[in-house]
Amino acid sequence: MQDDIIEQAIAFRAGDVTDPGLIADGVVASLRLLHAELSLLVGAQAAAALCSHAMHRTQSEVEWAVPRAAALSESMLLALRADLGARTPEQALFAGKTLLFALTDHLKSLIGEPLTTRMLRSAWGTPAFDQISTEDIR
């Protein structure tokens, strides 16, 4: 289910999941929105550190060409966008989903699934996501 939510968030913002540049835009936009929502809960520095940690956790699966950093920054987001945009559409979608899945999975372990779900709903409210019932998410 979480995989579907993440894919919907990316697709909603990308518009076309056959173009790696648009996929990259969708992933970065989704990450920005989740970071903003998370910042309200734990503060901007902690949110940036959690996002950066998700990139670190997925390095072996994705082999990011993004410089390592202790926290998410604008330069890191630009590098992430360039990295994803240089991949095939399938690779870009896989890498973006892997990153967002790692972040949301980590959030679930820290704050629980119900609060994480509410945070995703608030950050990524898309028509398809709004139609998912609370029972479907649990």
Side-chain angles (χ1 to χ4, degrees):
M1 180 53 109
Q2 185 179 2
D3 197 43
D4 293 337
I5 293 168
I6 290 169
E7 193 165 338
Q8 288 173 2
I10 294 169
F12 182 73
R13 280 155 193 82
D16 179 4
V17 292
T18 62
D19 179 327
L22 293 176
I23 294 168
D25 291 340
V27 170
V28 170
S30 297
L31 185 59
R32 282 183 192 275
L33 290 167
L34 187 53
H35 175 269
E37 194 68 29
L38 186 55
S39 293
L40 297 173
L41 183 66
V42 298
Q45 286 183 316
L50 287 168
C51 292
S52 180
H53 179 68
M55 288 200 72
H56 176 73
R57 281 183 50 199
T58 58
Q59 178 65 38
S60 63
E61 277 182 90
V62 177
E63 297 183 21
W64 297 109
V66 177
R68 287 190 179 172
L72 189 69
S73 65
E74 189 60 32
S75 63
M76 187 176 177
L77 288 172
L78 290 173
L80 174 62
R81 199 260 172 241
D83 179 309
L84 292 170
R87 297 172 186 251
T88 67
E90 295 79 16
Q91 291 170 336
L93 191 56
F94 172 78
K97 286 171 48 176
T98 300
L99 173 62
L100 293 171
F101 185 83
L103 178 57
T104 58
D105 193 49
H106 193 63
L107 290 176
K108 283 189 337 188
S109 72
L110 292 171
I111 62 174
E113 190 167 352
L115 187 54
T116 299
T117 300
R118 278 185 249 142
M119 185 178 296
L120 295 178
R121 185 178 301 277
S122 180
W124 294 343
T126 65
F129 190 42
D130 290 340
Q131 293 173 5
I132 298 171
S133 72
T134 306
E135 290 78 30
D136 290 336
I137 295 170
R138 291 182 184 189

